[in-house]
Amino acid sequence: GDPVTEGQVLAELDKADLQAQVREAKAMLAGAEANLQAAVAAEAKARIDAANPEVAFNQRDYDRAQGLFQVKIASQQQMDDADRALQMSKNRQLLLDASVQTVAAQTEQARAQVAAAKAALDRAEESLGYATIRAPISGIVLHRPTEIGDAVSSMLNLGSAATLIMTLGDVSSVYIKGDVDEADIGKTELSQFVRTKVEAYPTNSFEGVVKRIAPMGRDQNNVTTFEVRVTISNPQGKLRVGMTANAEIVLEERTNVLLIPETALVYDKD
C-alpha cells in the first residue's frame, strides 16, 4: 500500500557482475580506438610512400638515355641500365599502391571493430541500467512477493516466467465489473450515471459512469447476463482493489419535484 511516484527507485539488483561487464566493454572500446589510430597512421604513411617521385625521375632518365643512344652518345649498357631502373621503380610503385589498399582495408576493419565495441558497451550499460528498477507509473504498491536477497530472473531471458518483483496500480480511478440481466441490458447505455456502495463505507455513495457493455452475454444456470464495466473516480483512495460493491444504474432522474408518501395516495377503483 505504499505510495510511489513515476521514476522512483523500487529495487536494485546485484550489480557487481554487470559493472564488471561495463568495465570490460570500455576497455575493449579503448583498445579498438587505439588500433584505429594506429591503422589511420599506417595508412597515412603508406600514402606518403606511394606518392614518391621515383618513377617520374627514372622515366626522365630513360628518355634522356634513349635520346643520347639514338645519336650514338650513350652506350647500350647505359640504355639498359636506365630501362632497368625505370622498370624496378614501376614495380616498387605497384607494391606501394597495393600496400595503400591493404592498410586502407585494415583501417576500415579497425573502424568496424570500434563500432562493434561501442555497441557492446551500449548493451552492457543498458543491462546495468536494468538492474535499477523504477516505477513506470505513479500509484501504490498492490503486491510485493519478493524479499531482499531473493534470486530473480529477467523477462529478457525467461519471458512470462520471469520473477514478479511487485505489482503497482493507479487507484485514482477504479472500475467495477457487474452483471446485468438480459431483460434490463436494453436499458443500459454508455455514459449512464451509476451510484455505487461498498460495505466498508455504508454511508457513502460513489459516483461513476458506464464505460463498457459486453457485446456477448454469458449463460449461467439458464440465466443470461451481460458484463458491464463502470469507471469511478477515487481521488481519496477509499476504494481498494478486490472490494465487493453494489451498483445502481440510474435510468431516469427527476429534480425539484414534489415528493409524497405512497400511503397518502387514493386510488380510484375504476
Side-chain angles (χ1 to χ4, degrees):
D2 292 339
V4 298
T5 57
E6 183 178 355
Q8 179 180 339
V9 176
L10 302 177
E12 289 192 353
L13 307 182
D14 186 3
K15 299 180 179 180
D17 184 57
L18 296 174
Q19 290 171 338
Q21 292 178 11
V22 170
R23 291 193 298 270
E24 180 181 2
K26 287 182 177 180
M28 295 294 292
L29 175 59
E33 289 175 341
N35 291 336
L36 175 59
Q37 292 178 356
V40 170
E43 181 181 357
K45 181 179 181 302
R47 291 188 182 279
I48 292 173
D49 293 340
N52 76 89
E54 183 180 4
V55 174
F57 290 156
N58 288 332
Q59 183 67 54
R60 285 197 298 268
D61 291 343
Y62 174 78
D63 294 339
R64 185 166 48 251
Q66 189 177 38
L68 295 174
F69 179 75
Q70 290 175 352
V71 295
K72 308 299 183 178
I73 295 176
S75 65
Q76 183 66 44
Q77 182 64 43
Q78 291 174 322
M79 185 66 189
D80 293 341
D81 291 343
D83 182 61
R84 185 183 303 106
L86 177 60
Q87 296 303 321
M88 290 180 64
S89 64
K90 287 183 177 180
N91 290 337
R92 281 195 297 271
Q93 187 62 47
L94 291 175
L95 291 175
L96 292 173
D97 291 340
S99 177
V100 169
Q101 295 178 357
T102 300
V103 295
Q106 291 173 348
T107 300
E108 292 303 317
Q109 185 179 19
R111 286 196 177 96
Q113 291 173 349
V114 169
K118 286 181 178 179
L121 177 58
D122 290 341
R123 288 194 299 270
E125 290 178 338
E126 184 179 15
S127 298
L128 179 60
Y130 289 152
T132 300
I133 300 173
R134 300 179 181 273
I137 61 172
S138 296
I140 64 172
V141 179
L142 301 178
H143 181 49
R144 194 197 73 182
T146 56
E147 298 292 338
I148 296 176
D150 287 353
V152 296
S153 57
S154 170
M155 178 178 284
L156 298 176
N157 297 327
L158 297 181
S160 60
T163 305
L164 175 64
I165 294 179
M166 63 182 66
T167 303
L168 306 181
D170 180 6
V171 295
S172 61
S173 178
V174 298
Y175 70 88
I176 60 173
K177 293 191 298 184
D179 295 326
V180 175
D181 190 270
E182 63 177 329
D184 299 320
I185 197 65
K187 306 172 187 177
T188 307
E189 298 178 355
L190 296 178
S191 300
Q192 279 182 324
F193 181 70
V194 180
R195 294 191 186 96
T196 305
K197 287 184 174 293
V198 295
E199 294 182 358
Y201 304 101
T203 61
N204 292 2
S205 180
F206 300 92
E207 300 178 353
V209 293
V210 175
K211 281 295 184 181
R212 182 180 183 276
I213 302 173
M216 185 171 65
R218 293 181 300 183
D219 188 5
Q220 187 174 4
N221 298 327
N222 294 325
V223 177
T224 301
T225 59
F226 291 81
E227 182 183 282
V228 175
R229 180 174 294 188
V230 177
T231 300
I232 303 173
S233 178
N234 186 37
Q236 297 179 343
K238 290 184 176 181
L239 299 178
R240 300 184 176 231
V241 178
M243 278 185 167
T244 301
N246 293 317
E248 294 180 346
I249 300 176
V250 179
L251 301 180
E252 185 177 357
E253 189 173 31
R254 303 295 178 114
T255 59
N256 299 322
V257 296
L258 179 63
L259 182 65
I260 60 176
E262 186 178 3
T263 54
L265 297 177
V266 177
Y267 295 94
D268 190 345
K269 294 182 179 179
D270 295 336

